[in-house]
Amino acid sequence: MEDIEKIEYLEKFEILQDLPRFFLAQLAKDSEEKRLKPGDVLFEEGSPGQTMYFILEGELGVYKQGEYIVSRGANEFFGEMALIESKPRSATVKSIKDTLLLEIDEELFSTYFSSNSAVVMKLLKTLSERSRSELESISNKSKKIKSVVAFDSLTGLLNRNLLEDRFSMAVARANREKAKVLFLYLDLKVINPQPDFSDQEISDSILLEAVNRLSSCLRKEDSIIRLSNREFVLLTLIENAGTKDALFKKIEQHLKPAINIDETSFELEPLIGSSLFPDEHQSLEELLKNALKEIQGSAIIQ
């Protein structure tokens, strides 16, 4: 490529726009071209970092531990951090399209950029913008991970990973309010007609309607945790056994009406077991075991 073409490319970079043309002409003359075909690796994560690059044409992908992070295209530069810090590359870069680069080594960077305050300020601005973008990306990924860990994807309820956490919160609130924690284990059975659970859409629709009805029985500060397919734990505060009996009755009344889906009515049978903290048991494991025994005992009586 002729130097005049290089100059025309370099004038498009914001970081270089305050530099005089003769300055760019000298930079164009001294810098090396590098051409990549799609799939070509420019450098690997962990390799020595002694150069930075200006992208004149094409597109490159940036990969961290094999995972795609971001792409860089024409009129962007990259690789400056490894060059400035004299540290290994923090990511792998490979070409997505046919790409034309200008390579700037440490000597050229020192000669043309480090002593120019305008270039340094624009370089810092770009680094700041990239850092902010990366922090936002990390934050978004963190929120997504937390959401997957904490919430059931179908119902939006808390999942079993948060059972211990919500139990601890309920105990703390009960101690403050001098109340008791009612631990309910609920197993929802569809008794009439037996649905075809291979039909995921019908199964999900039944479950979602049941969850909506169940949620309407509780207060905002109470917790519903989905343990598995149709098994749930409810945590609520009560003052006495009468409150417990009233809640049982309310749940049964809300779940009793048939659920109508595609002109078919499905009837539910909620199997409920309970334990009371601290009157009956202290630990979460003991509360769960006792609630399961209560369900098994009622099933034998029936």
Side-chain angles (χ1 to χ4, degrees), residues 2 36 40 61 68 77-78 92 94 110-111 124 156 185 191 198 209 218 223 261 263 266:
E2 298 293 332
L36 300 176
D40 286 352
Y68 170 80
F77 63 88
F78 64 95
T92 295
K94 59 182 178 182
S110 178
T111 300
L124 290 173
Y185 177 91
I191 57 173
S198 64
E209 176 58 26
L218 300 179
S223 296
I261 299 171
E263 300 181 354
F266 297 94

Side-chain angles (χ1 to χ4, degrees), residues 17-295:
Q17 287 176 357
D18 291 329
L19 298 179
R21 192 173 177 83
F22 75 85
F23 196 95
L24 296 179
Q26 193 61 43
L27 176 61
K29 181 179 179 181
D30 293 342
S31 57
E32 295 289 332
E33 290 179 39
K34 198 171 189 69
R35 293 184 181 273
L36 300 176
K37 295 180 180 180
D40 286 352
V41 175
L42 179 62
F43 52 72
E44 296 275 4
E45 182 177 351
S47 62
Q50 300 170 336
T51 52
M52 67 176 292
Y53 298 89
F54 286 87
I55 306 174
L56 307 186
E57 296 175 353
E59 184 179 4
L60 298 164
V62 181
Y63 301 82
K64 184 76 173 175
Q65 296 180 350
E67 181 183 356
Y68 170 80
I69 303 298
V70 72
S71 64
R72 299 287 182 216
N75 306 330
E76 291 189 273
F77 63 88
F78 64 95
E80 70 290 336
M81 291 305 299
L83 186 151
I84 293 171
E85 297 177 330
S86 298
K87 290 184 177 180
R89 301 290 187 185
S90 60
T92 295
V93 172
K94 59 182 178 182
S95 184
I96 297 174
K97 301 177 181 178
D98 288 322
T99 301
L100 176 61
L101 306 166
L102 278 189
E103 185 178 76
I104 308 295
D105 61 21
E106 190 172 357
E107 182 179 351
L108 287 178
F109 182 86
S110 178
T111 300
Y112 291 100
F113 300 147
S114 62
S115 60
N116 189 302
S117 59
V119 171
V120 170
M121 287 303 296
K122 288 187 176 181
L123 177 62
L124 290 173
K125 178 184 176 183
T126 300
L127 293 177
S128 175
E129 290 172 349
R130 287 180 182 174
S131 296
R132 187 184 301 275
S133 177
E134 288 170 3
L135 286 174
E136 289 176 354
S137 176
I138 291 170
S139 176
N140 290 336
K141 286 183 180 180
S142 177
K143 289 178 182 177
K144 186 175 181 180
I145 291 170
K146 288 179 180 178
S147 176
V148 170
V149 169
F151 295 96
D152 176 61
S153 59
L154 174 62
T155 63
L157 296 177
L158 301 171
N159 66 29
R160 65 188 309 133
N161 293 319
L162 280 187
L163 175 57
E164 188 172 343
D165 176 73
R166 289 309 164 108
F167 174 66
S168 298
M169 291 173 63
V171 168
R173 193 158 60 86
N175 290 335
R176 290 195 306 270
E177 300 178 16
K178 302 189 183 310
K180 307 175 191 299
V181 179
L182 177 61
F183 179 102
L184 295 182
Y185 177 91
L186 177 66
D187 187 359
L188 287 177
K189 301 293 185 185
V190 183
I191 57 173
N192 185 32
Q194 283 292 325
D196 178 7
F197 287 113
S198 64
D199 189 330
Q200 194 64 45
E201 186 175 348
I202 289 179
S203 180
D204 289 350
S205 297
I206 294 172
L207 183 61
L208 287 171
E209 176 58 26
V211 166
N212 287 335
R213 295 182 183 185
L214 197 57
S215 298
S216 68
C217 297
L218 300 179
R219 299 164 298 189
K220 185 178 179 180
E221 61 269 25
D222 297 334
S223 296
I224 308 178
I225 296 99
R226 186 185 181 194
L227 295 184
S228 61
N229 191 19
R230 293 181 301 281
E231 298 175 52
F232 304 85
V233 164
L234 285 64
L235 297 172
T236 184
L237 300 192
I238 63 171
E239 296 180 358
N240 52 57
T243 308
K244 167 185 166 181
D245 294 339
L247 180 58
F248 270 42
K249 187 175 181 180
K250 186 177 182 180
I251 291 173
E252 289 172 348
Q253 288 176 341
H254 277 68
L255 292 177
K256 186 176 181 179
I259 296 175
N260 299 311
I261 299 171
D262 294 338
E263 300 181 354
T264 302
S265 296
F266 297 94
E267 294 180 11
L268 299 178
E269 179 185 17
L271 303 179
I272 306 175
S274 67
S275 286
L276 201 60
F277 173 93
D279 294 19
E280 297 174 351
H281 295 286
Q282 298 286 324
S283 74
L284 181 59
E285 183 179 1
E286 289 172 334
L287 290 167
L288 178 58
K289 285 181 179 179
N290 188 70
L292 287 170
K293 283 181 182 179
E294 190 171 295
I295 288 180

